[in-house]
Amino acid sequence: MPESKSRRHPTKGPAQTPSSKTQKPNAVWFLPVMVTLMLVGLFWIITYYISDGKFPIPNIHNWNIAIGFAIALAGFMMTTRWRS
């Protein structure tokens, strides 16, 4: 039985890096700010629920949840830029 010819796959060049520059690690302040924002947002929401809506800002009622969530989200968005 005749053997089939093996297919020639096009050769790929050297692996391309996303950028020619090496990425520098984050600044010293980046990690503490990131963690602090996540914790402040969490504590903002917990304080609102524990105080039955009287704290942290009593006159805006349920918007306290949105503020706490936005603060925590800012911290979580910083994690996408984290480099060690």
Side-chain angles (χ1 to χ4, degrees), residues 7-61:
R7 295 183 187 178
R8 289 193 165 206
H9 297 286
T11 58
K12 295 182 181 179
Q16 297 280 334
T17 57
S19 65
S20 61
K21 298 179 182 177
T22 58
Q23 293 189 0
K24 298 177 186 174
N26 291 102
V28 176
W29 56 267
F30 195 85
L31 180 63
V33 170
M34 179 179 69
V35 172
T36 301
L37 283 173
M38 289 188 279
L39 291 176
V40 166
L42 176 67
F43 288 131
W44 190 288
I45 295 170
I46 289 173
T47 302
Y48 174 73
Y49 278 116
I50 289 176
S51 69
D52 199 27
K54 296 177 184 173
F55 296 107
I57 303 174
N59 294 331
I60 62 172
H61 306 292

